[in-house]
Amino acid sequence: MAKLKDIAEQVGVSISTVSRVMKNDSTRSVSEETRKRIWEVAEKIGYKANRSEKSNRNDSKNNMVHIGCVVAIPQNKYNNPYFSVILEGVERALTEAGIRLEFIYSIENQSDIQQLQSLVKEHRIDGMIIVERIDQDAYEWIKKHVRAVVGVDLSDKTLPVVCYDRELAAKEAVQHLIKQGHKQIGYIGGPELNDDFRLEKRFVGFKSAMNEAGLPVDDNWMIDVKWDVSLSYEMTKLAFEKDGYSPTAIFAASDMMAIAAMRAATERGLRVPEDIAVIGIDNIEISEFTSPPLTTIHVPKVEMGMYAVKLLLDYLDNQYSLPIRMTIPYRMIHRRSSEWKPSGH
């Protein structure tokens, strides 16, 4: 059976040094390199640490890890029910690992970048989780100055990322509408950061489904609402007032915008789903309780946050060198807002 003496001999330190590291005794300093080597040898030779030693090891390891989180700007404004659940997953996984989240930050203007840089230095951040695309300057700075970075729903191939397939999810939702007989389908969405909203993956998925079915896409019903719920309501109302193309279905790139569009349709005197079907993406909690309940794509938000933490801790522990991309499965949830039957359309 492996003993402290065996570890001490292999590492080249005294038995008392090994004992201090095992018990997390900080009265005398031991270099981080030596601590790491002691635990590596202990594991290699099969030394069975007792429970207090194990918990001390985790505490000492995790107490030295400082994690921050930067979130795309809609978190504070429009899409809170989506982002807050991802963050719940992040905090849950960190709590389980005995680590405190140092800060959650969003960048709205240039001065916020300096503030973020100060936070990173002040909290001695080792690892950062970036939820969706943020300001490019800040992004590059983080990648350069933070030891390990993991993205949630980022398209950067140089970083480890946890995501769901937005393009395929949108395509599946629109194909569901097409199978039900819809030929005129409107789209409500927003851009990724400052790009054209037509480059955003959910729009790409929508367009792909329409093209494959040989269906027309009407510009009056390709509505960029910039992820703003009130704008979604106002612009959908305006679109209904225009003559010509009148959709029998709407696909919205988030549940919040789908719910706002349903209100605009109802105020127009249209019945959902009899006159117009509506589908969203996210499966936020409220979508089940709208009138009628909203058909949507369930995005595993809590799990995305939790896996992002697990990946980040693995990278901080040097377990991987390649940027892993973890794609979490989504699923469609059929509710009444899309139960549509053609009747002379």
Side-chain angles (χ1 to χ4, degrees):
M1 192 175 163
K3 297 185 172 65
L4 291 179
K5 177 172 163 287
D6 303 326
I7 302 169
E9 281 173 2
Q10 285 205 35
V11 179
V13 294
S14 67
I15 295 171
S16 61
T17 298
V18 175
S19 176
R20 277 202 306 277
V21 168
M22 294 289 183
K23 290 175 180 166
N24 197 27
D25 178 356
S26 56
T27 53
R28 290 172 69 185
S29 64
V30 178
S31 77
E32 187 50 42
E33 196 178 320
T34 303
R35 282 180 190 277
K36 193 178 170 197
R37 182 86 183 104
I38 286 168
W39 281 112
E40 279 172 357
V41 170
E43 281 174 22
K44 186 178 159 192
I45 68 172
Y47 175 77
K48 300 278 188 263
N50 64 39
R51 188 171 293 177
S52 66
E53 284 173 350
K54 279 180 180 170
S55 64
N56 280 336
R57 182 201 175 182
N58 288 334
D59 288 348
S60 67
K61 190 172 156 189
N62 291 339
N63 284 340
M64 290 184 282
V65 173
H66 299 135
I67 308 291
C69 185
V70 183
V71 185
I73 204 61
Q75 191 263 333
N76 292 329
K77 291 180 173 178
Y78 321 124
N79 270 11
N80 198 35
Y82 176 75
F83 284 93
S84 62
V85 182
I86 292 175
L87 295 173
E88 183 193 321
V90 167
E91 293 191 306
R92 190 189 295 180
L94 284 172
T95 302
E96 281 174 13
I99 303 168
R100 192 187 70 187
L101 183 61
E102 300 293 333
F103 60 78
I104 299 168
Y105 198 73
S106 286
I107 299 160
E108 204 158 357
N109 49 53
Q110 205 61 26
S111 63
D112 291 340
I113 299 175
Q114 279 81 53
Q115 176 67 22
L116 174 64
Q117 291 169 351
S118 300
L119 281 169
V120 168
K121 287 169 186 168
E122 181 190 325
H123 291 275
R124 302 193 309 283
I125 294 300
D126 304 294
M128 186 81 84
I129 293 169
I130 300 177
V131 184
E132 293 201 2
R133 208 167 125 203
I134 61 166
D135 176 274
Q136 194 61 29
D137 290 345
Y139 185 62
E140 294 302 334
W141 188 89
I142 290 167
K143 282 170 69 174
K144 199 173 170 185
H145 292 87
V146 177
R147 187 152 63 91
V149 181
V150 169
V152 175
D153 266 336
L154 290 178
S155 52
D156 188 344
K157 288 183 169 59
T158 68
L159 277 188
V161 170
V162 179
C163 62
Y164 75 99
D165 193 327
R166 294 176 180 208
E167 187 176 329
L168 213 56
K171 188 172 183 177
E172 194 173 307
V174 178
Q175 283 173 333
H176 169 70
L177 293 171
I178 293 167
K179 276 177 195 156
Q180 288 189 308
H182 293 282
K183 291 180 168 49
Q184 294 170 294
I185 304 170
Y187 175 88
I188 299 170
E192 188 177 15
L193 208 60
N194 304 315
D195 295 345
D196 185 315
F197 87 105
R198 288 174 178 81
L199 298 173
E200 203 275 327
K201 285 194 167 72
R202 282 160 285 195
F203 182 83
V204 173
F206 163 83
K207 191 91 187 295
S208 172
M210 295 295 277
N211 287 350
E212 282 179 21
L215 296 176
V217 170
D218 187 281
D219 277 346
N220 286 331
W221 276 94
M222 300 302 104
I223 309 173
D224 175 11
V225 299
K226 299 174 175 46
W227 307 114
D228 187 327
V229 177
S230 55
L231 210 52
S232 181
Y233 166 69
E234 296 295 344
M235 290 178 76
T236 308
K237 250 170 68 167
L238 286 173
F240 277 126
E241 286 165 16
K242 291 174 185 166
D243 292 331
Y245 187 98
S246 180
T248 59
I250 291 173
F251 168 66
S254 87
D255 285 353
M256 291 295 284
M257 296 187 301
I259 292 164
M262 281 206 295
R263 181 184 158 191
T266 305
E267 287 180 5
R268 182 76 181 166
L270 296 169
R271 296 164 305 157
V272 179
E274 292 84 356
D275 300 317
I276 189 160
V278 180
I279 294 185
I281 281 193
D282 292 343
N283 192 29
I284 59 171
E285 200 175 345
I286 196 74
S287 64
E288 191 179 347
F289 304 105
T290 55
S291 184
L294 180 66
T295 295
T296 184
I297 299 277
H298 173 71
V299 177
K301 301 169 285 296
V302 170
E303 291 85 349
M304 280 163 68
M306 292 184 78
Y307 279 120
V309 169
K310 291 184 195 318
L311 259 190
L312 185 62
L313 296 180
D314 284 346
Y315 276 91
L316 283 167
D317 208 20
N318 300 312
Q319 289 195 32
Y320 307 111
S321 56
L322 296 172
I324 289 170
R325 188 168 194 83
M326 190 183 284
T327 305
I328 311 280
Y330 61 83
R331 71 178 190 276
M332 191 150 176
I333 295 180
H334 299 275
R335 298 193 185 114
R336 219 174 73 75
S337 73
S338 65
E339 286 175 6
W340 184 82
K341 290 178 177 63
S343 54
H345 281 287

